[in-house]
Amino acid sequence: MARAGGITNAVNVGIAVQADWENREFISHISLNVRRLFDFLVQFEATTKSKLASLNEKLDTLERRLELLEVQVGTASANPSLFAT
Amino acid sequence: MGTMMTSSALRVPHEASNFDEVSMQQSLIFADSLKHMFVQDLKNLRTQLYSAAEYFELSYTNDDQNHIVVETLKDYTIKALVNTVDHLGSITYKVNDLLDEKVDEVSGTELRVSSIEQRLRTCQEFINHEGITQQSLVINTPKYHKRYILPVGETMSGTNRTKSKYQGRSLDDEDDWHQFRNAVRATIRETPPSTVSRGHSPSPSPRPPQRSAIFSFTATMPKKELDKRTVSPHRFPLLRSGSLSSRSVTPSSTRPTTPNSSRPTTPNPNPRRRYPSEPRKSASMRLPAERENGKDIEQYPSKSKRLLKALLSRRKSKKDDTLYTYLDEY
């Protein structure tokens, strides 16, 4: 009986260890995927920041050019003699 | 997250004045709704995950069927992870799309601004060109052919510049004519007195006063200068007589001549080419003064021909009779 109980306990421990290893494998898989997701989010943030920076630069350049055009058009409009033939 | 929510909540739609502002406002509203929706979803997912974790913790401690609780937890974790990945994928795709749309809009706006700048530059260049044209002092002086240039003293509707230029030319021609006469005079004086007397004999008696009147320059010149000219190394400067004779025939004050330095000075047997002023003069351009003195004008070509013949014979036979006769007649 004792020998049978010892074998059963050993089997149970083996099963528990195997289940524990399976659980660990599952957790490692989940953590790996979460890390991949985190890496994707970091990469996405970098890409979006770069795009937003270039867009901001373009908008700044465009704003300056528009201001220059506005000043030129204002100067030309203030001098109607330029358009007199 | 809270900061983003606060910033998005602060954006209040304003009254749009034109179409561009309306479209910009709509796009901003769309971006705000996108952000708000996905942030809210992520926030709900976060609370759900926290509540699920608490539930499974209690179930694992209280329930006897731990195996089933663990399996359920695994399934829930996998589903939550997949759902989160899908959600984040959808968010990133929409954000990327929105960014690309904005970049395209900015590129289109840059093109429009470049077009406006180019048009403005074209207008500026046109204005500058017109200003230069207005401010430039280019006067289109009428350009006449040489034969149409009126002589000094005639009224002319053209500019004074052409007139003064022609006056200068006439003066030059007069100087050349004086030099030519002096040279001929000196050549004649060098000849023996018998020849001179022979040349003078056929001339009529009333000629001398006329000759003295014409050669007033010679008479007023000092004797020293005359002697200098007689002994000058240019013994016979009549080599230029080909072109000078044509000028000398015409009166310097009444008839215009066109001095042509490129014309050959060698004697030309063709008298038409030697006297360019006579054939080039068109009948329509003759002056009233010339019409009055028509006889004199008709005599000029014959005199010129005789002068040419005299010069040619002078070079060949050294006889000055004809030349002297011509000078006497002139």
Side-chain angles (χ1 to χ4, degrees):
Chain A
M1 284 294 288
R3 188 178 292 177
I7 292 171
T8 306
N9 285 333
V11 170
N12 290 334
V13 168
I15 290 172
V17 168
Q18 188 176 357
D20 183 67
W21 276 110
E22 286 179 356
N23 289 332
R24 287 173 185 268
E25 187 181 4
F26 174 77
I27 291 169
S28 68
H29 280 153
I30 293 293
S31 64
L32 179 63
N33 285 314
V34 169
R35 283 180 183 178
R36 281 180 182 175
L37 184 63
F38 182 75
D39 290 340
F40 166 75
L41 287 176
V42 168
Q43 188 180 355
F44 173 73
E45 182 190 11
T47 308
T48 308
K49 275 187 176 179
S50 171
K51 283 184 179 180
L52 283 173
S54 66
L55 194 63
N56 189 26
E57 189 177 354
K58 282 184 179 180
L59 283 172
D60 284 343
T61 308
L62 206 58
E63 190 178 359
R64 269 185 254 121
R65 288 167 69 182
L66 279 174
E67 284 179 357
L68 180 64
L69 278 176
E70 193 177 350
V71 169
Q72 287 179 350
V73 170
T75 307
S77 300
N79 246 345
S81 60
L82 292 175
F83 301 101
T85 55
Chain B
M1 295 285 181
T3 309
M4 292 174 69
M5 280 293 295
T6 308
S7 63
S8 63
L10 285 175
R11 291 178 183 272
V12 181
H14 299 285
E15 293 293 331
S17 59
N18 51 20
F19 178 76
D20 291 336
E21 288 187 1
V22 168
S23 63
M24 187 183 296
Q25 206 72 34
Q26 284 180 354
S27 65
L28 285 175
I29 289 170
F30 174 72
D32 288 341
S33 65
L34 191 69
K35 275 186 195 175
H36 181 72
M37 183 176 64
F38 286 115
V39 168
Q40 194 67 32
D41 288 344
L42 285 174
K43 197 175 180 180
N44 293 333
L45 184 63
R46 181 187 177 190
T47 54
Q48 284 180 9
L49 286 175
Y50 273 106
S51 60
E54 288 178 359
Y55 171 76
F56 281 114
E57 192 175 357
L58 291 173
S59 299
Y60 190 78
T61 53
N62 297 329
D63 202 350
D64 295 333
Q65 302 292 330
N66 291 332
H67 183 69
I68 298 172
V69 173
V70 169
E71 291 297 326
T72 308
L73 178 63
K74 283 181 182 179
D75 292 339
Y76 182 79
T77 307
I78 290 170
K79 285 181 181 177
L81 186 61
V82 170
N83 194 13
T84 306
V85 168
D86 288 344
H87 192 72
L88 289 176
S90 176
I91 288 174
T92 53
Y93 173 75
K94 289 188 176 179
V95 169
N96 254 333
D97 195 12
L98 185 65
L99 268 178
D100 290 340
E101 187 182 349
K102 295 300 175 188
V103 169
D104 290 341
E105 281 185 7
V106 169
S107 299
T109 309
E110 277 187 342
L111 280 176
R112 289 168 64 188
V113 170
S114 298
S115 173
I116 292 171
E117 280 182 351
Q118 190 174 359
R119 276 187 276 176
L120 195 65
R121 203 178 300 122
T122 305
C123 289
Q124 193 72 33
E125 287 177 1
F126 179 74
I127 289 169
N128 290 337
H129 179 70
E130 288 297 320
I132 288 171
T133 306
Q134 285 180 2
Q135 297 297 326
S136 64
L137 297 174
V138 176
I139 301 171
N140 292 324
T141 56
K143 293 180 180 179
Y144 301 115
H145 196 269
K146 291 175 181 177
R147 61 182 176 180
Y148 296 134
I149 297 173
L150 294 175
V152 181
E154 293 290 332
T155 57
M156 189 174 170
S157 61
T159 58
N160 293 327
R161 184 183 171 188
T162 311
K163 201 171 178 179
S164 63
K165 193 175 180 180
Y166 174 64
Q167 284 174 357
R169 283 181 186 174
S170 66
L171 289 173
D172 291 341
D173 294 341
E174 197 171 3
D175 291 340
D176 292 341
W177 168 237
H178 283 307
Q179 289 179 2
F180 167 67
R181 283 194 300 188
N182 290 331
V184 171
R185 192 82 170 177
T187 309
I188 292 168
R189 282 184 181 179
E190 281 181 5
T191 56
S194 61
T195 312
V196 172
S197 62
R198 195 158 35 114
H200 272 286
S201 58
S203 62
S205 57
R207 290 285 169 82
Q210 185 184 358
R211 187 179 61 190
S212 64
I214 291 174
F215 290 102
S216 60
F217 177 73
T218 314
T220 56
M221 278 184 66
K223 281 191 174 182
K224 285 183 179 180
E225 198 171 345
L226 284 173
D227 293 335
K228 265 188 182 177
R229 295 204 174 192
T230 49
V231 296
S232 65
H234 297 285
R235 297 274 301 172
F236 193 67
L238 297 175
L239 289 174
R240 292 181 67 238
S241 63
S243 59
L244 289 172
S245 61
S246 63
R247 296 173 192 161
S248 60
V249 166
T250 59
S252 60
S253 61
T254 54
R255 292 190 64 187
T257 56
T258 58
N260 194 357
S261 59
S262 62
R263 188 165 295 162
T265 57
T266 55
N268 196 351
N270 190 4
R272 286 281 176 187
R273 292 190 63 185
R274 293 291 298 268
Y275 306 97
S277 61
E278 186 263 332
R280 283 185 185 177
K281 194 83 175 181
S282 61
S284 60
M285 289 302 294
R286 286 188 179 176
L287 303 173
E290 291 176 354
R291 286 169 189 165
E292 291 175 0
N293 302 326
K295 289 182 179 181
D296 295 337
I297 294 170
E298 288 175 358
Q299 284 176 1
Y300 288 144
S302 60
K303 287 180 180 178
S304 301
K305 286 178 184 177
R306 275 190 288 170
L307 174 62
L308 174 64
K309 287 177 182 177
L311 292 175
L312 290 174
S313 60
R314 171 77 173 84
R315 296 190 81 183
K316 289 179 180 178
S317 62
K318 303 285 185 181
K319 290 181 180 179
D320 298 331
D321 298 344
T322 315
L323 181 61
Y324 198 81
T325 306
Y326 162 72
L327 288 173
D328 287 339
E329 288 176 356
Y330 197 79

